[in-house]
Amino acid sequence: MIAPLLEEGLPALGLTPPPGAVEQLDQYARLLLEKNQVMNLTAITEPEQVAQLHMLDCAALAGLCRLEGKQLLDVGTGAGFPGMVLKILVPSLDVTLLDSLNKRLDWLAETCGALGLSGIRTVHARAEERSHDPAFREQFDAVTSRAVAELRTLCELCLPYVRPGGYFLAMKSVDSDGEIAAAASAVKALGGGLERVQDYEIPGTDIRHRAVIVKKISETPKKYPRTFAKIKKKPL
């Protein structure tokens, strides 16, 4: 049920999957559903919905930004979305999956092994802390986040990781106009500029989602990000 939906859905997104990618995504989905029986990885438990609302939703990003040969960081990766999907679809992509919950990362590392993926690593850390590390700060061509946090918060957590000239891609709902407007000052303060907002339809559904694409224009001031308590109490 999963593979046929991917075989139809990926071309509908303008994507030509590399050899073996559909099989890897299918196996990834099956491993996710199997592990979800003992660990809370996803609230979506129907195979058809996993294919559409996880795999194809995340795959849409691969059609919106050139990722070949780039370094990507997925902040708050959770069960690996969108970082794992993008790695499978763009094998030359170097991917770092960052999350604050180690047991999720352990499962992702095991899954990478089962899928035969290389050029992908996991990092156990809080996003607002690790970006002050010189080995991570402004070291990535692209940073993604599918987290449910408000865009102002996500920008402060993610933009410090993006090198000037790179991009932050936030996955949002289509009713996020207010969030985007409210985040304008934060984007500017963090060294970014809103490049475009791209809505897309998930193939096989009538669901529309949105990618907010922010370009890194200049270095982020060293005082950002602040502690999470300060970010939450007083968003930029």
PDB file of all heavy atoms in Angstrom, residues 13-45:
ATOM      1  N   LEU A  13       5.010  15.420  -7.530  1.00  0.00           N
ATOM      2  CA  LEU A  13       5.731  16.521  -6.897  1.00  0.00           C
ATOM      3  C   LEU A  13       6.876  17.023  -7.774  1.00  0.00           C
ATOM      4  O   LEU A  13       7.645  17.899  -7.365  1.00  0.00           O
ATOM      5  CB  LEU A  13       6.289  16.079  -5.538  1.00  0.00           C
ATOM      6  CG  LEU A  13       5.269  15.815  -4.429  1.00  0.00           C
ATOM      7  CD1 LEU A  13       5.944  15.124  -3.241  1.00  0.00           C
ATOM      8  CD2 LEU A  13       4.600  17.117  -3.984  1.00  0.00           C
ATOM      9  N   GLY A  14       6.993  16.440  -8.964  1.00  0.00           N
ATOM     10  CA  GLY A  14       8.072  16.823  -9.871  1.00  0.00           C
ATOM     11  C   GLY A  14       9.387  16.138  -9.568  1.00  0.00           C
ATOM     12  O   GLY A  14      10.446  16.599  -9.999  1.00  0.00           O
ATOM     13  N   LEU A  15       9.330  15.036  -8.842  1.00  0.00           N
ATOM     14  CA  LEU A  15      10.541  14.345  -8.415  1.00  0.00           C
ATOM     15  C   LEU A  15      10.732  13.025  -9.161  1.00  0.00           C
ATOM     16  O   LEU A  15       9.772  12.285  -9.387  1.00  0.00           O
ATOM     17  CB  LEU A  15      10.480  14.064  -6.906  1.00  0.00           C
ATOM     18  CG  LEU A  15      10.354  15.288  -5.992  1.00  0.00           C
ATOM     19  CD1 LEU A  15      10.118  14.830  -4.553  1.00  0.00           C
ATOM     20  CD2 LEU A  15      11.597  16.158  -6.080  1.00  0.00           C
ATOM     21  N   THR A  16      11.971  12.760  -9.514  1.00  0.00           N
ATOM     22  CA  THR A  16      12.345  11.459 -10.062  1.00  0.00           C
ATOM     23  C   THR A  16      13.202  10.762  -9.022  1.00  0.00           C
ATOM     24  O   THR A  16      14.378  11.099  -8.847  1.00  0.00           O
ATOM     25  CB  THR A  16      13.138  11.615 -11.375  1.00  0.00           C
ATOM     26  OG1 THR A  16      12.346  12.332 -12.320  1.00  0.00           O
ATOM     27  CG2 THR A  16      13.500  10.250 -11.944  1.00  0.00           C
ATOM     28  N   PRO A  17      12.636   9.811  -8.276  1.00  0.00           N
ATOM     29  CA  PRO A  17      13.409   9.181  -7.197  1.00  0.00           C
ATOM     30  C   PRO A  17      14.571   8.375  -7.737  1.00  0.00           C
ATOM     31  O   PRO A  17      14.463   7.745  -8.799  1.00  0.00           O
ATOM     32  CB  PRO A  17      12.379   8.278  -6.513  1.00  0.00           C
ATOM     33  CG  PRO A  17      11.331   8.037  -7.544  1.00  0.00           C
ATOM     34  CD  PRO A  17      11.272   9.276  -8.379  1.00  0.00           C
ATOM     35  N   PRO A  18      15.713   8.398  -7.048  1.00  0.00           N
ATOM     36  CA  PRO A  18      16.855   7.585  -7.477  1.00  0.00           C
ATOM     37  C   PRO A  18      16.546   6.099  -7.322  1.00  0.00           C
ATOM     38  O   PRO A  18      15.606   5.725  -6.600  1.00  0.00           O
ATOM     39  CB  PRO A  18      17.971   8.030  -6.528  1.00  0.00           C
ATOM     40  CG  PRO A  18      17.270   8.551  -5.326  1.00  0.00           C
ATOM     41  CD  PRO A  18      16.006   9.161  -5.822  1.00  0.00           C
ATOM     42  N   PRO A  19      17.307   5.241  -7.981  1.00  0.00           N
ATOM     43  CA  PRO A  19      17.067   3.797  -7.876  1.00  0.00           C
ATOM     44  C   PRO A  19      17.045   3.322  -6.420  1.00  0.00           C
ATOM     45  O   PRO A  19      17.920   3.675  -5.634  1.00  0.00           O
ATOM     46  CB  PRO A  19      18.251   3.193  -8.633  1.00  0.00           C
ATOM     47  CG  PRO A  19      18.659   4.255  -9.597  1.00  0.00           C
ATOM     48  CD  PRO A  19      18.429   5.553  -8.894  1.00  0.00           C
ATOM     49  N   GLY A  20      16.024   2.553  -6.079  1.00  0.00           N
ATOM     50  CA  GLY A  20      15.914   1.982  -4.736  1.00  0.00           C
ATOM     51  C   GLY A  20      15.272   2.893  -3.706  1.00  0.00           C
ATOM     52  O   GLY A  20      14.993   2.448  -2.588  1.00  0.00           O
ATOM     53  N   ALA A  21      15.004   4.160  -4.050  1.00  0.00           N
ATOM     54  CA  ALA A  21      14.491   5.106  -3.056  1.00  0.00           C
ATOM     55  C   ALA A  21      13.081   4.742  -2.586  1.00  0.00           C
ATOM     56  O   ALA A  21      12.777   4.838  -1.392  1.00  0.00           O
ATOM     57  CB  ALA A  21      14.505   6.534  -3.619  1.00  0.00           C
ATOM     58  N   VAL A  22      12.232   4.334  -3.517  1.00  0.00           N
ATOM     59  CA  VAL A  22      10.859   3.971  -3.124  1.00  0.00           C
ATOM     60  C   VAL A  22      10.894   2.790  -2.164  1.00  0.00           C
ATOM     61  O   VAL A  22      10.170   2.768  -1.150  1.00  0.00           O
ATOM     62  CB  VAL A  22       9.997   3.666  -4.364  1.00  0.00           C
ATOM     63  CG1 VAL A  22       8.671   3.026  -3.947  1.00  0.00           C
ATOM     64  CG2 VAL A  22       9.733   4.944  -5.159  1.00  0.00           C
ATOM     65  N   GLU A  23      11.740   1.825  -2.449  1.00  0.00           N
ATOM     66  CA  GLU A  23      11.853   0.653  -1.572  1.00  0.00           C
ATOM     67  C   GLU A  23      12.378   1.065  -0.185  1.00  0.00           C
ATOM     68  O   GLU A  23      11.915   0.550   0.845  1.00  0.00           O
ATOM     69  CB  GLU A  23      12.781  -0.376  -2.191  1.00  0.00           C
ATOM     70  CG  GLU A  23      12.227  -1.069  -3.437  1.00  0.00           C
ATOM     71  CD  GLU A  23      12.314  -0.207  -4.691  1.00  0.00           C
ATOM     72  OE1 GLU A  23      12.958   0.878  -4.652  1.00  0.00           O
ATOM     73  OE2 GLU A  23      11.728  -0.613  -5.712  1.00  0.00           O
ATOM     74  N   GLN A  24      13.341   1.988  -0.150  1.00  0.00           N
ATOM     75  CA  GLN A  24      13.866   2.458   1.139  1.00  0.00           C
ATOM     76  C   GLN A  24      12.811   3.219   1.927  1.00  0.00           C
ATOM     77  O   GLN A  24      12.677   3.030   3.151  1.00  0.00           O
ATOM     78  CB  GLN A  24      15.092   3.350   0.910  1.00  0.00           C
ATOM     79  CG  GLN A  24      16.351   2.585   0.544  1.00  0.00           C
ATOM     80  CD  GLN A  24      17.538   3.526   0.349  1.00  0.00           C
ATOM     81  OE1 GLN A  24      17.432   4.543  -0.321  1.00  0.00           O
ATOM     82  NE2 GLN A  24      18.668   3.180   0.939  1.00  0.00           N
ATOM     83  N   LEU A  25      12.054   4.073   1.255  1.00  0.00           N
ATOM     84  CA  LEU A  25      10.987   4.823   1.938  1.00  0.00           C
ATOM     85  C   LEU A  25       9.908   3.878   2.453  1.00  0.00           C
ATOM     86  O   LEU A  25       9.376   4.069   3.555  1.00  0.00           O
ATOM     87  CB  LEU A  25      10.374   5.855   0.987  1.00  0.00           C
ATOM     88  CG  LEU A  25      11.256   7.062   0.645  1.00  0.00           C
ATOM     89  CD1 LEU A  25      10.637   7.874  -0.481  1.00  0.00           C
ATOM     90  CD2 LEU A  25      11.482   7.942   1.877  1.00  0.00           C
ATOM     91  N   ASP A  26       9.599   2.857   1.660  1.00  0.00           N
ATOM     92  CA  ASP A  26       8.610   1.862   2.074  1.00  0.00           C
ATOM     93  C   ASP A  26       9.094   1.127   3.328  1.00  0.00           C
ATOM     94  O   ASP A  26       8.348   0.954   4.298  1.00  0.00           O
ATOM     95  CB  ASP A  26       8.368   0.881   0.923  1.00  0.00           C
ATOM     96  CG  ASP A  26       7.341  -0.185   1.275  1.00  0.00           C
ATOM     97  OD1 ASP A  26       6.148   0.048   1.032  1.00  0.00           O
ATOM     98  OD2 ASP A  26       7.743  -1.247   1.802  1.00  0.00           O
ATOM     99  N   GLN A  27      10.365   0.711   3.326  1.00  0.00           N
ATOM    100  CA  GLN A  27      10.925   0.010   4.485  1.00  0.00           C
ATOM    101  C   GLN A  27      10.980   0.931   5.706  1.00  0.00           C
ATOM    102  O   GLN A  27      10.686   0.499   6.831  1.00  0.00           O
ATOM    103  CB  GLN A  27      12.312  -0.526   4.164  1.00  0.00           C
ATOM    104  CG  GLN A  27      12.896  -1.405   5.275  1.00  0.00           C
ATOM    105  CD  GLN A  27      14.288  -1.911   4.953  1.00  0.00           C
ATOM    106  OE1 GLN A  27      14.842  -1.623   3.880  1.00  0.00           O
ATOM    107  NE2 GLN A  27      14.881  -2.665   5.866  1.00  0.00           N
ATOM    108  N   TYR A  28      11.360   2.172   5.481  1.00  0.00           N
ATOM    109  CA  TYR A  28      11.402   3.170   6.560  1.00  0.00           C
ATOM    110  C   TYR A  28      10.023   3.313   7.207  1.00  0.00           C
ATOM    111  O   TYR A  28       9.886   3.302   8.436  1.00  0.00           O
ATOM    112  CB  TYR A  28      11.885   4.496   5.966  1.00  0.00           C
ATOM    113  CG  TYR A  28      11.884   5.707   6.859  1.00  0.00           C
ATOM    114  CD1 TYR A  28      12.016   5.625   8.246  1.00  0.00           C
ATOM    115  CD2 TYR A  28      11.774   6.979   6.295  1.00  0.00           C
ATOM    116  CE1 TYR A  28      12.034   6.766   9.038  1.00  0.00           C
ATOM    117  CE2 TYR A  28      11.798   8.124   7.073  1.00  0.00           C
ATOM    118  CZ  TYR A  28      11.915   8.005   8.444  1.00  0.00           C
ATOM    119  OH  TYR A  28      11.934   9.139   9.221  1.00  0.00           O
ATOM    120  N   ALA A  29       8.986   3.412   6.378  1.00  0.00           N
ATOM    121  CA  ALA A  29       7.623   3.539   6.894  1.00  0.00           C
ATOM    122  C   ALA A  29       7.224   2.306   7.708  1.00  0.00           C
ATOM    123  O   ALA A  29       6.597   2.419   8.782  1.00  0.00           O
ATOM    124  CB  ALA A  29       6.649   3.747   5.736  1.00  0.00           C
ATOM    125  N   ARG A  30       7.595   1.132   7.225  1.00  0.00           N
ATOM    126  CA  ARG A  30       7.240  -0.097   7.936  1.00  0.00           C
ATOM    127  C   ARG A  30       7.986  -0.207   9.279  1.00  0.00           C
ATOM    128  O   ARG A  30       7.401  -0.619  10.288  1.00  0.00           O
ATOM    129  CB  ARG A  30       7.549  -1.310   7.046  1.00  0.00           C
ATOM    130  CG  ARG A  30       6.672  -1.361   5.815  1.00  0.00           C
ATOM    131  CD  ARG A  30       7.029  -2.506   4.876  1.00  0.00           C
ATOM    132  NE  ARG A  30       6.284  -2.416   3.638  1.00  0.00           N
ATOM    133  CZ  ARG A  30       5.020  -2.807   3.494  1.00  0.00           C
ATOM    134  NH1 ARG A  30       4.369  -3.343   4.515  1.00  0.00           N
ATOM    135  NH2 ARG A  30       4.413  -2.684   2.329  1.00  0.00           N
ATOM    136  N   LEU A  31       9.257   0.176   9.276  1.00  0.00           N
ATOM    137  CA  LEU A  31      10.020   0.171  10.532  1.00  0.00           C
ATOM    138  C   LEU A  31       9.440   1.183  11.522  1.00  0.00           C
ATOM    139  O   LEU A  31       9.397   0.925  12.731  1.00  0.00           O
ATOM    140  CB  LEU A  31      11.489   0.488  10.238  1.00  0.00           C
ATOM    141  CG  LEU A  31      12.272  -0.593   9.488  1.00  0.00           C
ATOM    142  CD1 LEU A  31      13.635  -0.060   9.069  1.00  0.00           C
ATOM    143  CD2 LEU A  31      12.433  -1.835  10.356  1.00  0.00           C
ATOM    144  N   LEU A  32       8.991   2.324  11.006  1.00  0.00           N
ATOM    145  CA  LEU A  32       8.368   3.343  11.850  1.00  0.00           C
ATOM    146  C   LEU A  32       7.112   2.806  12.518  1.00  0.00           C
ATOM    147  O   LEU A  32       6.932   2.947  13.736  1.00  0.00           O
ATOM    148  CB  LEU A  32       8.031   4.565  10.991  1.00  0.00           C
ATOM    149  CG  LEU A  32       7.183   5.656  11.653  1.00  0.00           C
ATOM    150  CD1 LEU A  32       7.984   6.411  12.698  1.00  0.00           C
ATOM    151  CD2 LEU A  32       6.645   6.630  10.605  1.00  0.00           C
ATOM    152  N   LEU A  33       6.243   2.187  11.747  1.00  0.00           N
ATOM    153  CA  LEU A  33       4.990   1.675  12.296  1.00  0.00           C
ATOM    154  C   LEU A  33       5.241   0.528  13.280  1.00  0.00           C
ATOM    155  O   LEU A  33       4.531   0.405  14.287  1.00  0.00           O
ATOM    156  CB  LEU A  33       4.071   1.220  11.166  1.00  0.00           C
ATOM    157  CG  LEU A  33       3.502   2.360  10.304  1.00  0.00           C
ATOM    158  CD1 LEU A  33       2.750   1.797   9.107  1.00  0.00           C
ATOM    159  CD2 LEU A  33       2.604   3.257  11.145  1.00  0.00           C
ATOM    160  N   GLU A  34       6.242  -0.282  12.991  1.00  0.00           N
ATOM    161  CA  GLU A  34       6.587  -1.381  13.899  1.00  0.00           C
ATOM    162  C   GLU A  34       7.093  -0.837  15.236  1.00  0.00           C
ATOM    163  O   GLU A  34       6.650  -1.264  16.306  1.00  0.00           O
ATOM    164  CB  GLU A  34       7.649  -2.259  13.246  1.00  0.00           C
ATOM    165  CG  GLU A  34       8.089  -3.438  14.098  1.00  0.00           C
ATOM    166  CD  GLU A  34       9.196  -4.237  13.426  1.00  0.00           C
ATOM    167  OE1 GLU A  34       9.258  -4.268  12.189  1.00  0.00           O
ATOM    168  OE2 GLU A  34      10.010  -4.830  14.168  1.00  0.00           O
ATOM    169  N   LYS A  35       8.020   0.121  15.180  1.00  0.00           N
ATOM    170  CA  LYS A  35       8.579   0.693  16.413  1.00  0.00           C
ATOM    171  C   LYS A  35       7.555   1.513  17.161  1.00  0.00           C
ATOM    172  O   LYS A  35       7.599   1.605  18.401  1.00  0.00           O
ATOM    173  CB  LYS A  35       9.795   1.570  16.067  1.00  0.00           C
ATOM    174  CG  LYS A  35      10.595   2.015  17.279  1.00  0.00           C
ATOM    175  CD  LYS A  35      11.252   0.838  17.983  1.00  0.00           C
ATOM    176  CE  LYS A  35      12.158   1.288  19.102  1.00  0.00           C
ATOM    177  NZ  LYS A  35      12.839   0.143  19.758  1.00  0.00           N
ATOM    178  N   ASN A  36       6.600   2.081  16.438  1.00  0.00           N
ATOM    179  CA  ASN A  36       5.589   2.932  17.071  1.00  0.00           C
ATOM    180  C   ASN A  36       4.701   2.155  18.035  1.00  0.00           C
ATOM    181  O   ASN A  36       4.028   2.741  18.888  1.00  0.00           O
ATOM    182  CB  ASN A  36       4.726   3.601  15.994  1.00  0.00           C
ATOM    183  CG  ASN A  36       4.028   4.841  16.501  1.00  0.00           C
ATOM    184  OD1 ASN A  36       4.669   5.783  16.967  1.00  0.00           O
ATOM    185  ND2 ASN A  36       2.705   4.851  16.434  1.00  0.00           N
ATOM    186  N   GLN A  37       4.711   0.851  17.922  1.00  0.00           N
ATOM    187  CA  GLN A  37       3.918   0.027  18.839  1.00  0.00           C
ATOM    188  C   GLN A  37       4.503   0.026  20.249  1.00  0.00           C
ATOM    189  O   GLN A  37       3.794  -0.242  21.222  1.00  0.00           O
ATOM    190  CB  GLN A  37       3.824  -1.407  18.300  1.00  0.00           C
ATOM    191  CG  GLN A  37       3.081  -1.505  16.981  1.00  0.00           C
ATOM    192  CD  GLN A  37       3.064  -2.925  16.440  1.00  0.00           C
ATOM    193  OE1 GLN A  37       3.318  -3.897  17.161  1.00  0.00           O
ATOM    194  NE2 GLN A  37       2.767  -3.068  15.152  1.00  0.00           N
ATOM    195  N   VAL A  38       5.794   0.350  20.367  1.00  0.00           N
ATOM    196  CA  VAL A  38       6.433   0.354  21.692  1.00  0.00           C
ATOM    197  C   VAL A  38       7.045   1.707  22.049  1.00  0.00           C
ATOM    198  O   VAL A  38       7.501   1.914  23.170  1.00  0.00           O
ATOM    199  CB  VAL A  38       7.531  -0.734  21.785  1.00  0.00           C
ATOM    200  CG1 VAL A  38       6.904  -2.119  21.703  1.00  0.00           C
ATOM    201  CG2 VAL A  38       8.585  -0.556  20.703  1.00  0.00           C
ATOM    202  N   MET A  39       7.092   2.634  21.084  1.00  0.00           N
ATOM    203  CA  MET A  39       7.639   3.968  21.335  1.00  0.00           C
ATOM    204  C   MET A  39       6.784   4.991  20.594  1.00  0.00           C
ATOM    205  O   MET A  39       6.410   4.770  19.440  1.00  0.00           O
ATOM    206  CB  MET A  39       9.091   4.065  20.832  1.00  0.00           C
ATOM    207  CG  MET A  39       9.736   5.420  21.096  1.00  0.00           C
ATOM    208  SD  MET A  39      11.323   5.636  20.213  1.00  0.00           S
ATOM    209  CE  MET A  39      12.313   4.332  20.941  1.00  0.00           C
ATOM    210  N   ASN A  40       6.502   6.107  21.237  1.00  0.00           N
ATOM    211  CA  ASN A  40       5.663   7.123  20.617  1.00  0.00           C
ATOM    212  C   ASN A  40       6.463   7.930  19.587  1.00  0.00           C
ATOM    213  O   ASN A  40       7.140   8.893  19.919  1.00  0.00           O
ATOM    214  CB  ASN A  40       5.088   8.056  21.689  1.00  0.00           C
ATOM    215  CG  ASN A  40       4.145   9.083  21.105  1.00  0.00           C
ATOM    216  OD1 ASN A  40       3.567   8.872  20.042  1.00  0.00           O
ATOM    217  ND2 ASN A  40       3.993  10.198  21.785  1.00  0.00           N
ATOM    218  N   LEU A  41       6.363   7.500  18.327  1.00  0.00           N
ATOM    219  CA  LEU A  41       7.078   8.181  17.246  1.00  0.00           C
ATOM    220  C   LEU A  41       6.150   9.000  16.362  1.00  0.00           C
ATOM    221  O   LEU A  41       6.553  10.007  15.796  1.00  0.00           O
ATOM    222  CB  LEU A  41       7.821   7.156  16.382  1.00  0.00           C
ATOM    223  CG  LEU A  41       9.016   6.453  17.024  1.00  0.00           C
ATOM    224  CD1 LEU A  41       9.493   5.317  16.131  1.00  0.00           C
ATOM    225  CD2 LEU A  41      10.149   7.447  17.283  1.00  0.00           C
ATOM    226  N   THR A  42       4.909   8.537  16.218  1.00  0.00           N
ATOM    227  CA  THR A  42       3.959   9.235  15.359  1.00  0.00           C
ATOM    228  C   THR A  42       2.532   8.938  15.789  1.00  0.00           C
ATOM    229  O   THR A  42       2.231   7.834  16.244  1.00  0.00           O
ATOM    230  CB  THR A  42       4.143   8.820  13.885  1.00  0.00           C
ATOM    231  OG1 THR A  42       3.139   9.454  13.083  1.00  0.00           O
ATOM    232  CG2 THR A  42       4.045   7.318  13.701  1.00  0.00           C
ATOM    233  N   ALA A  43       1.672   9.952  15.615  1.00  0.00           N
ATOM    234  CA  ALA A  43       0.243   9.765  15.886  1.00  0.00           C
ATOM    235  C   ALA A  43      -0.456   9.213  14.648  1.00  0.00           C
ATOM    236  O   ALA A  43      -1.621   8.826  14.706  1.00  0.00           O
ATOM    237  CB  ALA A  43      -0.392  11.077  16.309  1.00  0.00           C
ATOM    238  N   ILE A  44       0.238   9.192  13.532  1.00  0.00           N
ATOM    239  CA  ILE A  44      -0.314   8.688  12.273  1.00  0.00           C
ATOM    240  C   ILE A  44       0.053   7.210  12.162  1.00  0.00           C
ATOM    241  O   ILE A  44       1.235   6.865  12.081  1.00  0.00           O
ATOM    242  CB  ILE A  44       0.250   9.485  11.078  1.00  0.00           C
ATOM    243  CG1 ILE A  44      -0.150  10.956  11.194  1.00  0.00           C
ATOM    244  CG2 ILE A  44      -0.216   8.888   9.758  1.00  0.00           C
ATOM    245  CD1 ILE A  44       0.546  11.869  10.215  1.00  0.00           C
ATOM    246  N   THR A  45      -0.937   6.351  12.152  1.00  0.00           N
ATOM    247  CA  THR A  45      -0.653   4.917  12.235  1.00  0.00           C
ATOM    248  C   THR A  45      -1.190   4.105  11.058  1.00  0.00           C
ATOM    249  O   THR A  45      -0.958   2.899  10.991  1.00  0.00           O
ATOM    250  CB  THR A  45      -1.227   4.332  13.547  1.00  0.00           C
ATOM    251  OG1 THR A  45      -2.628   4.604  13.601  1.00  0.00           O
ATOM    252  CG2 THR A  45      -0.540   4.957  14.758  1.00  0.00           C
TER     253      THR A  45
END
